[in-house]
Amino acid sequence: MKPQQVTWPLEDHTRAKHEILRRYLQAWFPILAQGGFPRMVLVDGFAGPGVYDDGSDGSPLIALKAFLDQPKPIPAECHFHFIEKDMARADRLRECIAALFAVRPQPRNLHVHVHAGEGFEQVYADALRNHPRNAPVFALVDPFGWNGIPMAAMRDLMDRASGEVLVNFMFEEINRFLAHPDQGANFDALFGCGEWRRLTMLPPTQRKAGIRDLYAKQLLSVAGARYVRHFEMRNGRERTDYYLFFATKNQRGLKKMKEAMWSVDQRGGMTFSDATDPSQQVLFDGQDTSQLEGILSRRFAGSVTNVDEVERFVVEETPFRETHYKGILKGMEARVPAAIQVEACREGRRKGTYPTGTRVRFT
Ligand SMILES: C[S@@+](CC[C@H](N)C(=O)[O-])C[C@H]1O[C@@H](n2cnc3c(N)ncnc32)[C@H](O)[C@@H]1O
């Protein structure tokens, strides 16, 4: 339900999303600073009022604080574009930003632009036009529904040297309205194609996977992402509320986003999950990496593989992280009979370690 008032209560699923945003941006700024970019651009396309009923920060304040809290100041010129269609919410956002800068002075290289009264779709292109194409862009796209976030906009945001988008894909509502006769043009724009129409005929589970996979496919093929991962947020009744889609061209960005996902505290009834094999959901609940052995065994059974390829596979094609797989390999090597054997490695390698270049046979 869309709230009508200027601010609204903070729900658990929003809290988890905010935690991911905070952790990702805390990593994003220093990575790009190390990369020596003279300018960085952040777009919060559906910014909201900056605050919730209980005083918790909204996404714009989270982004600003992630910048201000950097232990080492970021030297680049940073431009934050906050787009909020509702004038009253935009006014509240301006007040929140002013209150923040009253206690934490605004650095001279931090430029804040609040775009009020117009929608994301109308504003983002103008906001980007003033920045050179090689300036990295991170965009948060967090609407209440599915209108006004066309795939064409994702393409424009990604069409940069380093463009990344984090989209809150409101699955539950999209699924509910997919066959609605008035929504055809809106869904054409959302997906950037008309293929979604065939999904309306499918039974529920296939339809769910179909909607999710079509959106991922379009982010790759139309928006031009190199990596796309989705993270499923389920509510306490085990129903999917939304998917957070992260699209990037950069493997390091993907690693950092997964790190953020794995570190979110999942208490409070919401669960975050991801799946490589749709029948095997992986919950980001701290340390449970038990499914990874099965995934590796199925993928590499009978082959001799360089561990660098194992790492690439884990990072790019599974929900797991680059920090997870070596412990799994160690367990597989130590078992009797061993599930992997090291075929070639650097001289002096210690058992249970897998330096780059190590070749492993999966039995
Ligand atoms: C889900 S809320 C955003 C919450 C915010 N990102 C946060 O995490 O704190 C969506 C916001 O988008 C605004 N909005 C609705 N349609 C819009 C549009 N087309 N363009 C920009 N903002 C819009 C709404 O007024 C609302 O404040």
Side-chain angles (χ1 to χ4, degrees):
M1 277 288 285
K2 275 188 205 172
Q4 301 302 315
Q5 61 282 36
V6 174
T7 63
W8 58 91
L10 178 66
E11 295 182 34
D12 284 336
H13 62 93
T14 307
R15 208 186 298 278
K17 180 175 67 188
H18 283 169
E19 190 57 26
I20 287 163
L21 177 70
R22 178 181 296 112
R23 286 174 189 266
Y24 185 71
L25 290 179
Q26 279 167 350
W28 188 74
F29 290 117
I31 287 177
L32 293 177
Q34 281 164 19
F37 291 98
R39 184 183 292 223
M40 307 177 194
V41 182
L42 182 140
V43 177
D44 188 343
F46 295 75
V51 66
Y52 285 79
D53 281 354
D54 67 354
S56 301
D57 288 337
S59 54
L61 274 282
I62 289 169
L64 288 168
K65 288 182 182 174
F67 180 87
L68 294 172
D69 288 345
Q70 287 297 322
K72 245 174 113 181
I74 304 294
E77 295 297 316
C78 290
H79 289 261
F80 285 36
H81 292 273
F82 298 126
I83 305 172
E84 172 52 55
K85 195 171 183 181
D86 181 289
M87 291 300 270
R89 290 184 181 142
D91 286 344
R92 179 63 65 86
L93 174 58
R94 286 199 186 96
E95 288 165 20
C96 291
I97 295 170
L100 174 67
F101 289 145
V103 289
R104 305 188 61 178
Q106 181 172 4
R108 293 204 3 212
N109 61 333
L110 173 58
H111 310 274
V112 178
H113 315 266
V114 176
H115 305 266
E118 278 191 293
F120 165 71
E121 201 181 344
Q122 287 72 43
V123 173
Y124 79 88
D126 275 344
L128 290 182
R129 193 163 295 129
N130 298 323
H131 303 295
R133 298 197 66 75
N134 62 355
V137 173
F138 173 87
L140 172 67
V141 179
D142 182 21
F144 280 136
W146 60 89
N147 288 338
I149 55 166
M151 188 53 69
M154 304 303 145
R155 185 193 56 218
D156 294 344
L157 290 162
M158 298 283 312
D159 186 21
R160 305 246 138 194
S162 175
E164 301 190 323
V165 292
L166 182 63
V167 187
N168 186 1
F169 185 82
M170 302 297 284
F171 171 79
E172 202 275 328
E173 294 182 29
I174 291 168
N175 186 36
R176 196 147 37 94
F177 284 91
L178 199 63
H180 195 288
D182 298 346
Q183 292 298 323
N186 291 332
F187 285 124
D188 282 345
L190 174 74
F191 288 101
C193 66
E195 248 183 86
W196 58 269
R197 286 185 175 77
R198 73 176 168 77
L199 304 174
T200 58
M201 318 290 178
L202 298 176
T205 28
Q206 284 179 33
R207 173 167 156 151
K208 176 178 170 183
I211 292 172
R212 182 197 64 204
D213 294 349
L214 177 60
Y215 196 67
K217 183 181 100 170
Q218 294 300 95
L219 285 172
L220 289 164
S221 62
V222 177
R226 182 145 179 225
Y227 309 105
V228 173
R229 285 218 76 82
H230 61 262
F231 303 92
E232 179 178 353
M233 175 60 85
R234 293 188 189 202
N235 60 30
R237 284 167 284 119
E238 276 299 293
R239 293 178 69 95
T240 305
D241 251 4
Y242 62 81
Y243 287 102
L244 277 185
F245 274 90
F246 179 61
T248 181
K249 292 180 179 162
N250 188 322
Q251 200 202 54
R252 201 159 172 203
L254 180 65
K255 285 180 176 174
K256 285 292 163 197
M257 184 52 80
K258 282 187 170 183
E259 187 178 339
M261 297 284 171
W262 276 92
S263 57
V264 169
D265 183 348
Q266 300 221 2
R267 287 170 298 188
M270 303 298 295
T271 52
F272 245 132
S273 63
D274 187 2
T276 297
D277 165 356
S279 62
Q280 284 201 304
Q281 287 289 327
V282 174
L283 291 183
F284 295 97
D285 63 352
Q287 292 309 319
D288 184 8
T289 56
S290 53
Q291 286 186 40
L292 183 53
E293 177 170 341
I295 293 173
L296 292 179
S297 301
R298 281 193 295 280
R299 171 67 178 75
F300 295 110
S303 68
V304 177
T305 310
N306 193 316
V307 286
D308 304 297
E309 167 55 16
V310 177
E311 178 162 323
R312 187 210 60 75
F313 168 74
V314 169
V315 170
E316 295 180 8
E317 298 183 40
T318 82
F320 292 97
R321 295 187 54 206
E322 68 282 7
T323 52
H324 290 146
Y325 77 96
K326 287 188 177 171
I328 300 290
L329 292 185
K330 190 173 171 179
M332 292 170 83
E333 191 183 5
R335 191 168 311 143
V336 184
I340 62 162
Q341 287 150 9
V342 171
E343 294 259 316
C345 60
R346 210 163 62 195
E347 213 174 300
R349 161 196 171 260
R350 274 184 294 120
K351 196 167 176 175
T353 62
Y354 307 91
T356 179
T358 304
R359 292 180 68 75
V360 171
R361 175 181 294 282
F362 287 78
T363 56

